[in-house]
Amino acid sequence: MMKKGIRLSIMALLAALMAVSVFSGCQKNDGDNTGSTGESGNETGKSVLTIATNAEFEPFEFMQDNEIVGFDIDLINAIAEKIDMTVEIKNMEFDGTVAAVQSGTCKAAISGMTITPKREKAVIFSTPYYATTQILLVRGDDDVFTGETKEVLDEQLKGKTIGVCSGFTGESYVNGDEDMGFTGIADAKATVFDNISLAVTALKNKSIDCIVMDNTVAKQAASSAGNEDIKAIDVTLTTENYAIALNKNDEALKEKIDTAINELKDSGKIAELYEKWDIE
């Protein structure tokens, strides 16, 4: 038989060992935390780059098999990889993209967005990544818009019903915009559509005379299946630059994105994306 004093000592030792075991089991294992959700709210532990876009602008951003794809999407993912972030895309109306950045709902916006004086009052822009122009889309049998220069086409546009997309440069070009240096088209009526597809349908139905649109998107629309009766007039009406919009308080992020864009240009990656998406 064990003496009472010895028995009590052993029981106290066992209790202490059990307490140590339980305490150890409650400790954070720092070496096994790679898959946990960090500050960013994603399993990679990287910060999230929330991006506003409008997926109605093929080939820059559009829906394909229930997924947002396009040049801009590939570009922002390549940028995010360079700055060690992960991308979360938020699809919305184009007119809401700048407001989303300004309010902080999204960190940035990439949506074939032109740098304009008005937008620069609300956001800051990255270094440009693409230079584009505005051109005309007309019906295949059109014999009105025959001009081979901007000046002649501007004359032929007078008094016409012209399709434009809401918030796009074409709308400013037709209506006039002092900040952008556009005097407007005399006596013309700008019919505003939410996206290029709706504008093309109206053009086919002869409810508008033509469309003013970004050249790459216009040419893509003209070459799309079912649009054989639409053609692009490749005469430059105006030139502009696309860039990524960021909140005015995010200068540090802008610097990182600018560096990434320049590196992607130097490496030839952006040129590869132009080729992939058939962008001139």
Side-chain angles (χ1 to χ4, degrees):
M1 181 179 288
M2 197 177 294
K3 289 185 179 180
K4 182 177 180 181
I6 296 175
R7 186 167 65 249
L8 289 174
S9 297
I10 292 175
M11 290 176 67
L13 178 61
L14 289 173
L17 289 172
M18 289 177 67
V20 170
S21 176
V22 170
F23 180 78
S24 298
C26 293
Q27 299 307 299
K28 176 181 176 182
N29 185 350
D30 291 333
D32 190 32
N33 198 36
T34 55
S36 66
T37 300
E39 180 183 357
S40 60
N42 71 90
E43 292 186 355
T44 66
K46 296 181 180 180
S47 295
V48 175
L49 185 61
T50 48
I51 297 294
T53 196
N54 172 241
E56 296 278 0
F57 201 61
E58 188 175 358
F60 290 92
E61 44 271 318
F62 61 103
M63 299 301 300
Q64 187 176 80
D65 299 327
N66 295 318
E67 182 181 0
I68 303 174
V69 299
F71 174 90
D72 282 348
I73 306 306
D74 283 353
L75 176 60
I76 199 64
N77 277 299
I79 290 170
E81 184 176 351
K82 279 194 167 291
I83 64 177
D84 198 32
M85 298 182 77
T86 185
V87 173
E88 178 185 332
I89 302 291
K90 294 189 176 183
N91 191 18
M92 61 187 69
E93 294 296 327
F94 183 77
D95 283 346
T97 55
V98 168
V101 173
Q102 192 176 20
S103 68
T105 303
C106 292
K107 296 288 286 182
I110 187 167
S111 196
M113 187 176 292
T114 299
I115 301 171
T116 68
K118 181 179 179 180
R119 289 175 184 150
E120 285 182 312
K121 293 175 183 177
V123 295
I124 53 175
F125 282 97
S126 70
T127 187
Y129 63 83
Y130 182 66
T132 188
T133 64
Q134 295 293 306
I135 64 172
L136 285 186
L137 269 179
V138 300
R139 287 182 290 275
D141 60 357
D142 175 80
D143 59 2
V144 174
F145 302 104
T146 57
E148 296 182 357
T149 66
K150 164 183 159 54
E151 290 73 23
V152 174
L153 282 175
D154 281 351
E155 283 295 319
Q156 294 173 342
L157 284 168
K158 288 181 178 179
K160 299 299 189 293
T161 301
I162 305 169
V164 296
C165 288
S166 178
F168 285 31
T169 303
E171 184 178 9
S172 297
Y173 186 77
V174 175
N175 289 332
D177 187 314
E178 186 177 351
D179 288 340
M180 297 184 73
F182 300 150
T183 56
I185 305 298
D187 301 319
K189 177 186 176 183
T191 301
V192 182
F193 299 91
D194 287 338
N195 56 64
I196 183 64
S197 298
L198 294 175
V200 167
T201 298
L203 181 61
K204 288 181 177 181
N205 294 337
K206 300 185 178 181
S207 59
I208 57 175
D209 297 311
C210 62
I211 300 169
V212 175
M213 178 51 59
D214 303 59
N215 67 339
T216 299
V217 177
K219 291 175 183 178
Q220 185 86 36
S223 64
S224 296
N227 288 344
E228 294 83 1
D229 51 349
I230 300 296
K231 66 182 180 181
I233 298 178
D234 198 5
V235 175
T236 298
L237 300 177
T238 182
T239 58
E240 57 205 86
N241 290 305
Y242 291 170
I244 298 168
L246 300 110
N247 190 282
K248 283 182 174 288
N249 295 322
D250 262 342
E251 285 284 356
L253 180 59
K254 168 184 159 53
E255 290 179 11
K256 291 179 181 179
I257 287 177
D258 285 351
T259 298
I261 290 173
N262 289 328
E263 289 176 355
L264 290 168
K265 285 179 180 177
D266 292 343
S267 69
K269 178 63 177 178
I270 289 182
E272 288 177 15
L273 294 180
Y274 288 157
E275 184 175 357
K276 174 182 175 180
W277 294 105
D278 195 23
I279 294 173
E280 297 178 359

